[in-house]
Amino acid sequence: MRDALAGLTVRGRAFVAAGVTAVVCAIVLGQPALTRVGVLVLALPLLTAAVLARSRYKLALVRTVSPQLVTAGQSARVDLTLTNEGRTPSGVLLLEDHVPYVLGSRPRFVLEGIGHGWRRHAAYQVRSDVRGRFEVGPMSVRVADPFGLVELGRSFQTTASLTVTPRTVPLPSIPLGGGWTGAGDNRPRAFASGSAEDVTVREYRRGDDLRRVHWRSSARTGELMVRREEQPWQSRATLFLDNRASAHRGQGVASSLEAAVSAAASIAAHLVQRGFAVRLVTASGEEPGSAWHQRESDVGTGPLLEALAVLQPVASPRLDGSWLGEQGHGGLTVAVLGAVEALDVPVLRRMRHHAGSGLAVSLDVDAWVDAHGTPGGAVPVLVQQGWRAVSLTPGDRLDAVWQDLSSTVGQGARHAEVVR
């Protein structure tokens, strides 16, 4: 009952005030008829609140977001199915679905009285120009009486996720080189006998299929071991994205980090279309959800784009190069870099030598805060380390910059002597 009284609307509070005033005036003036009017006006909102407080509603909501993975600027549809599973008919229902402000305004619906078994379908569109993972919901419901005197609030707890991936642009085909490497392990040597003792094993690495675990060897060594398997060779690429906060300039969607994420997404989509198995590595190391150990099970660039959608800047001042200790990965490495400091050069050098071929898109981050500054970037430093590198500024088209990489063929070879 307390919640119902707290839900009195302005009209309901006005009725209460008018009723109390009429009763007081009737007592002071000695007018019994006015007392009856005052009691009636006062009782109406109180009785309405009591009825709503005793009512038991059993509303069920099913929310569906389709598609759950969209590109920035693309719309998604939210379908709602509301059902009254209780036996008590309701009054007017005021529904409001809570959505993040980047997805648009909050949709509101007004439903007239509903009875037992009532079902209603509704839908609305959401759209975001900002990448990220957003929760749609929960929905709040306000039940109002026919007189508009009382409104009671209720809320569903369920939500649905919507992932908005970065924008991508088609990129032209250019010579990449150095991308062919083993799809899994190095080719094992053949054994004369096929006994379990002769199985070639190695240590378990994140992303390995658990069906390849060799339990006897694992028990003997005390560490999880997996069978080496000879697999068809395929083209592999490592996409490195520097997401350190100190390496970028600007704020929000206009920052150099967002430009770097969009460039990385476009490059990932381009490499997958060209048949590469791609993994994503950031300044914090390899992203677990985008490893390419079992690329056969992935669908397009979905895992990579999802990882890029929720990528956040990190405060670490150094690049994590621990992933470079893995053997047999090599192949093509494409780096999307921000500002490069002297401490980064050794890691970038190791990264280049770890790859069969290295391409770099270096963002001239100072141009994001000073449009009239002198073009710079880390291209000269990268070229000295053997990278084929180009610079990207806010006014450049990514497809044109990517095409410029084709004119840098042999650039790294000319500086091989310097690197050595």
Side-chain angles (χ1 to χ4, degrees):
M1 183 63 182
R2 181 179 300 177
D3 292 340
L5 291 177
L8 286 172
T9 63
V10 175
R11 181 182 299 177
R13 295 178 188 274
F15 267 66
V16 171
V20 171
T21 302
V23 170
V24 171
C25 291
I27 295 175
V28 173
L29 300 176
Q31 297 291 332
L34 185 59
T35 302
R36 290 191 291 271
V37 173
V39 170
L40 178 62
V41 173
L42 177 62
L44 183 60
L46 297 180
L47 291 175
T48 302
V51 172
L52 287 181
R54 289 180 172 273
S55 300
R56 294 294 182 267
Y57 302 105
K58 192 175 181 181
L59 302 177
L61 173 68
V62 177
R63 180 190 291 102
T64 305
V65 179
S66 59
Q68 293 184 322
L69 185 69
V70 297
T71 304
Q74 180 182 351
S75 298
R77 177 186 173 94
V78 181
D79 291 287
L80 305 172
T81 301
L82 190 67
T83 307
N84 184 18
E85 298 179 351
R87 297 185 178 277
T88 304
S90 76
V92 178
L93 297 181
L94 309 175
L95 289 78
E96 181 181 56
D97 210 8
H98 294 262
V99 298
Y101 72 94
V102 297
L103 297 182
S105 59
R106 292 181 176 180
R108 294 179 174 87
F109 307 93
V110 179
L111 305 180
E112 298 297 335
I114 60 177
H116 173 65
W118 175 94
R119 180 184 295 267
R120 169 72 183 271
H121 298 277
Y124 61 91
Q125 301 283 336
V126 292
R127 178 180 178 273
S128 173
D129 292 323
V130 181
R131 64 180 178 88
R133 181 175 289 123
F134 307 102
E135 294 297 323
V136 179
M139 173 175 284
S140 61
V141 181
R142 298 193 66 83
V143 183
D145 68 283
F147 304 103
L149 302 176
V150 182
E151 285 186 1
L152 293 181
R154 298 288 187 269
S155 179
F156 294 97
Q157 301 300 318
T158 58
T159 61
S161 296
L162 173 66
T163 302
V164 181
T165 62
R167 297 178 186 269
T168 60
V169 296
L171 300 180
S173 296
I174 63 172
L176 298 175
W180 290 93
T181 184
D185 309 315
N186 294 334
R187 295 178 181 265
R189 56 190 177 92
F191 293 93
S193 62
S195 66
E197 299 297 333
D198 292 331
V199 174
T200 305
V201 296
R202 61 165 172 81
E203 293 181 357
Y204 173 85
R205 290 198 294 262
R206 183 177 56 192
D208 286 330
D209 191 345
L210 292 179
R211 292 175 295 182
R212 294 173 57 188
V213 173
H214 192 259
W215 298 109
R216 181 175 299 180
S217 299
S218 301
R220 184 171 61 252
T221 61
E223 297 182 1
L224 205 58
M225 308 295 289
V226 296
R227 298 182 181 88
R228 290 182 180 271
E229 296 180 357
E230 182 177 358
Q231 300 178 1
W233 285 37
Q234 66 175 171
S235 194
R236 285 185 167 184
T238 296
L239 177 60
F240 177 81
L241 174 60
D242 186 359
N243 62 324
R244 295 173 300 169
S246 60
H248 292 277
R249 308 289 185 270
Q251 299 292 331
V253 295
S255 66
S256 61
L257 176 61
E258 292 303 314
V261 172
S262 180
S266 301
I267 294 172
H270 175 73
L271 293 177
V272 170
Q273 290 174 358
R274 293 190 58 174
F276 281 82
V278 185
R279 66 167 175 173
L280 176 65
V281 179
T282 65
S284 302
E286 185 176 353
E287 291 294 310
S290 61
W292 38 234
H293 297 292
Q294 297 291 331
R295 289 301 299 175
E296 294 82 358
S297 62
D298 292 341
V299 180
T301 57
L304 286 169
L305 294 181
E306 286 189 58
L308 289 171
V310 297
L311 188 73
Q312 296 296 323
V314 295
S316 174
R318 294 176 176 267
L319 297 175
D320 183 5
S322 60
W323 59 277
L324 293 170
E326 302 178 11
Q327 299 296 323
H329 285 173
L332 171 68
T333 296
V334 182
V336 181
L337 304 170
V340 175
E341 304 294 339
L343 294 175
D344 305 328
V345 174
V347 179
L348 294 173
R349 183 185 302 117
R350 289 178 54 205
M351 194 185 306
R352 174 61 187 89
H353 285 294
H354 183 266
S357 178
L359 283 68
V361 177
S362 174
L363 276 72
D364 185 4
V365 295
D366 291 334
W368 263 263
V369 293
D370 184 7
H372 302 287
T374 303
V379 171
V381 176
L382 294 170
V383 171
Q384 288 180 0
Q385 309 308 317
W387 292 85
R388 291 164 50 190
V390 291
S391 178
L392 177 66
T393 65
D396 292 335
R397 292 179 48 185
L398 180 61
D399 54 351
V401 171
W402 182 258
Q403 182 68 54
D404 290 342
L405 276 173
S406 61
S407 62
T408 64
V409 175
Q411 186 184 61
R414 290 196 300 270
H415 292 268
E417 294 296 331
V418 177
V419 174
R420 294 192 185 94

